[in-house]
Amino acid sequence: MNRSITTLTAVLLIIFSTTVSCECTKGKSASSFEVEYQWTFLNFTWENENTYNDAVTTKRYIPENNAMAGIKFYKDTFYIAMPRICEGTPVTLGYISTSDTTPKSEPLISPFPDWNTNDLTNHTCDKLENVQSMEIDADGIMWVLDGFRKPTSKCPPKLVLYDLNNEAKVVQSFTFPEEISSSKGGFLNDLVVDDSDGGFAYITEHGSVDPGIVVYSRAQNHAWKIRDASMFAEIDATNFVVDEVVFNKLAPVDGIALSPRNPSGPRQLYYCALTGVNLYSISTEILKDVTACSGGEWRVNVTHIGAKPAQSDGMVVDNTGVLYYGLLPLYGVGSWNSSGSFDDAGVVYANNGTMIWTDSFSFDDKGYLYLLANNIHKYFLTQCAFDSTEPYVKFRILKHFTGTQSYLH
Ligand SMILES: *[C@@H]1O[C@H](CO)[C@@H](O)[C@H](O)[C@H]1NC(C)=O
Ligand SMILES: *[C@@H]1O[C@H](CO)[C@@H](O)[C@H](O)[C@H]1NC(C)=O
Ligand SMILES: *[C@@H]1O[C@H](CO)[C@@H](O)[C@H](O)[C@H]1NC(C)=O
Ligand SMILES: *[C@@H]1O[C@H](CO)[C@@H](O)[C@H](O)[C@H]1NC(C)=O
Ligand SMILES: *[C@@H]1O[C@H](CO)[C@@H](O)[C@H](O)[C@H]1NC(C)=O
């Protein structure tokens, strides 16, 4: 990040600090992001009262240690990824129904696919250990990235595909080899799915030891990895503040988004470092070619799209090619029509009361874009010290009308 961008960020911070929220889009679809669901503590649909009481007594469940990292919508259900960084986190992947009977505040989360798969009491590597994100393709296959590994972990990271239209049966599973993501300290963070040529997932490896982008081919059941300086943290972009907490880590590539199918050329993969403001892209024609990825020539094909006004975590592209990305220290969401210049990118909406750490995006099938704002930097930076003395709303799913769908459609 160069000095003029730092200045721009500072100027924007000043503008935004004088206003609580803004509806910033020029043009027709301007609307706010409104809170749809919110939680102070995560709680679950326990099998019975005994199980719940036992989990509390044995500290298998410590309410304030449970957090949300990713959301994806499919057929009236939100699937929710919950990191297991701290003790007392009984479930890493769950769901809530979006039916009218689901409360908007503190809805109980059910484990997916069941309690047993989430239970690490007798830890075997087929259990779900630490899910931070997933994607659901047009056929209803949920690609679950069980990708975060503590230094004490015993099982390597994996990708598990569940068929949501067939009793959540596992239709494929892939374990990542050590050289792609370490079983101790690896952090496969976020993914997008490309349905061409038998299906691909593009995944950000966010671990500080060997960050990069991992390509997984479903047809070949094989993965490979590329690394480039554009995937590293930007030193000048560290020490940004979100809700009075300074983010001081050098966090590499994290946000990832895929352009929709396009008859006039290959899809583009967009990515950015968490500690960074620069947005890059690369053609999937290169990513899908394992030979092309093994040399270094592909690096000339990395495109610098531009500098965002702030750091981002999650991103998503809709089916018309509009990219949405969180603007963490601005408490907002930015958007860019990828058919045009990045100079025309803007801020859709910002709200420093509700959009605290704009993390994960998902479209529904009715033209709404959902955003999970989750205070997650506090969870990761303060070693499991989400403040429980003065409980506050930490997780919000917000809703914004775009009239579009996900890049998968
Ligand atoms: C939000 O912005 C207002 C106006 O600048 C400020 O008074 C308030 O402290 C801010 N709240 C947070 C949580 O940052
Ligand atoms: C958590 O949910 C269970 C139902 O699954 C309920 O019995 C219990 O009271 C809840 N705990 C809290 C603190 O709300
Ligand atoms: C764990 O294994 C022990 C010994 O095999 C068994 O008694 C117990 O029921 C198992 N617990 C779970 C939750 O699978
Ligand atoms: C990569 O860049 C080279 C050199 O500019 C160009 O010839 C080639 O067509 C590019 N490949 C792709 C897939 O864009
Ligand atoms: C994006 O830009 C293209 C080309 O200028 C335009 O046709 C399209 O309507 C734009 N999309 C939106 C959502 O503004």
Side-chain angles (χ1 to χ4, degrees):
M1 179 158 85
N2 64 34
R3 187 155 300 155
S4 64
I5 297 162
T6 315
T7 311
L8 175 63
T9 308
V11 168
L12 282 163
L13 277 169
I14 290 160
I15 293 168
F16 276 87
S17 64
T18 59
T19 142
V20 178
S21 74
C22 89
E23 290 177 23
C24 322
T25 305
K26 313 155 229 160
K28 43 191 186 297
S29 69
S31 76
S32 61
F33 275 81
E34 276 153 32
V35 177
E36 182 75 358
Y37 298 101
Q38 64 177 41
W39 292 261
T40 299
F41 294 114
L42 305 187
N43 190 9
F44 305 95
T45 53
W46 298 92
E47 284 159 310
N48 53 55
E49 213 179 307
N50 282 346
T51 322
Y52 168 72
N53 289 334
D54 182 63
V56 171
T57 313
T58 59
K59 293 200 175 349
R60 189 163 78 84
Y61 172 49
I62 304 172
E64 63 269 27
N65 285 359
N66 290 266
M68 290 185 176
I71 52 164
K72 283 292 170 284
F73 179 94
Y74 188 71
K75 286 192 177 168
D76 304 324
T77 300
F78 267 118
Y79 294 88
I80 300 171
M82 289 161 282
R84 290 211 248 217
I85 310 297
C86 315
E87 297 301 306
T89 51
V91 179
T92 189
L93 182 60
Y95 66 93
I96 57 167
S97 157
T98 61
S99 75
D100 293 343
T101 54
T102 304
K104 300 290 185 192
S105 184
E106 315 289 324
L108 297 177
I109 299 167
S110 297
F112 179 92
D114 48 39
W115 277 106
N116 182 45
T117 308
N118 280 274
D119 186 347
L120 302 183
T121 313
N122 297 330
H123 193 168
T124 49
C125 293
D126 56 339
K127 300 294 178 80
L128 289 177
E129 182 172 331
N130 203 325
V131 178
Q132 307 251 335
S133 56
M134 55 277 171
E135 180 58 287
I136 302 164
D137 69 21
D139 298 325
I141 306 294
M142 178 156 66
W143 302 48
V144 174
L145 190 58
D146 183 10
F148 180 92
R149 292 299 179 258
K150 292 182 191 179
T152 52
S153 291
K154 293 188 176 65
C155 295
K158 62 183 183 290
L159 184 66
V160 188
L161 277 58
Y162 293 92
D163 187 350
L164 297 179
N165 292 318
N166 186 13
E167 298 171 342
K169 286 213 170 79
V170 174
V171 291
Q172 192 147 339
S173 180
F174 179 77
T175 299
F176 291 95
E178 195 64 24
E179 66 270 20
I180 285 189
S181 184
S182 173
S183 56
K184 301 189 185 305
F187 190 171
L188 296 172
N189 189 338
D190 203 356
L191 81 165
V192 287
V193 170
D194 179 350
D195 60 4
S196 66
D197 299 321
F200 285 85
Y202 311 117
I203 303 165
T204 49
E205 166 58 68
H206 183 69
S208 54
V209 174
D210 184 22
I213 289 176
V214 175
V215 180
Y216 166 74
S217 158
R218 184 177 175 188
Q220 301 165 47
N221 205 31
H222 182 57
W224 51 95
K225 183 173 184 178
I226 58 168
R227 295 125 171 126
D228 185 59
S230 59
M231 299 164 195
F232 298 165
E234 297 164 22
I235 288 171
D236 291 355
T238 192
N239 291 324
F240 61 94
V241 179
V242 179
D243 202 28
E244 295 174 6
V245 175
V246 181
F247 187 88
N248 58 9
K249 297 267 159 80
L250 284 171
V253 65
D254 179 319
I256 190 167
L258 183 64
S259 68
R261 274 186 298 267
N262 176 1
S264 65
R267 294 175 125 172
Q268 299 297 314
L269 184 78
Y270 299 100
Y271 61 89
C272 61
L274 171 48
T275 305
V277 293
N278 290 293
L279 178 67
Y280 298 91
S281 74
I282 185 164
S283 166
T284 57
E285 193 179 326
I286 291 166
L287 296 172
K288 291 196 280 187
D289 182 346
V290 63
T291 315
C293 288
S294 65
E297 290 83 28
W298 59 268
R299 288 205 174 86
V300 303
N301 300 88
V302 169
T303 305
H304 179 240
I305 302 285
K308 297 175 280 105
Q311 298 83 347
S312 311
D313 199 325
M315 306 196 287
V316 71
V317 186
D318 73 9
N319 61 341
T320 70
V322 175
L323 174 74
Y324 294 91
Y325 41 90
L327 295 168
L328 299 167
L330 304 181
Y331 310 95
V333 169
S335 79
W336 167 55
N337 180 346
S338 62
S339 308
S341 156
F342 197 73
D343 294 342
D344 297 330
V347 177
V348 181
Y349 182 72
N351 186 321
N352 76 352
T354 56
M355 291 176 40
I356 300 169
W357 203 273
T358 46
D359 193 343
S360 174
F361 291 96
S362 178
F363 282 93
D364 70 5
D365 47 12
K366 297 183 182 71
Y368 286 96
L369 172 62
Y370 291 87
L371 164 70
L372 171 67
N374 59 2
N375 282 272
I376 202 74
H377 59 311
K378 299 171 190 167
Y379 186 76
F380 274 94
L381 289 175
T382 55
Q383 301 295 329
C384 306
F386 253 155
D387 188 5
S388 58
T389 52
E390 271 186 71
Y392 60 100
V393 174
K394 294 182 277 295
F395 316 106
R396 292 181 180 89
I397 295 178
L398 303 111
K399 169 179 186 177
H400 169 77
F401 189 74
T402 62
T404 60
Q405 285 181 283
S406 125
Y407 70 96
L408 290 156
H409 298 282

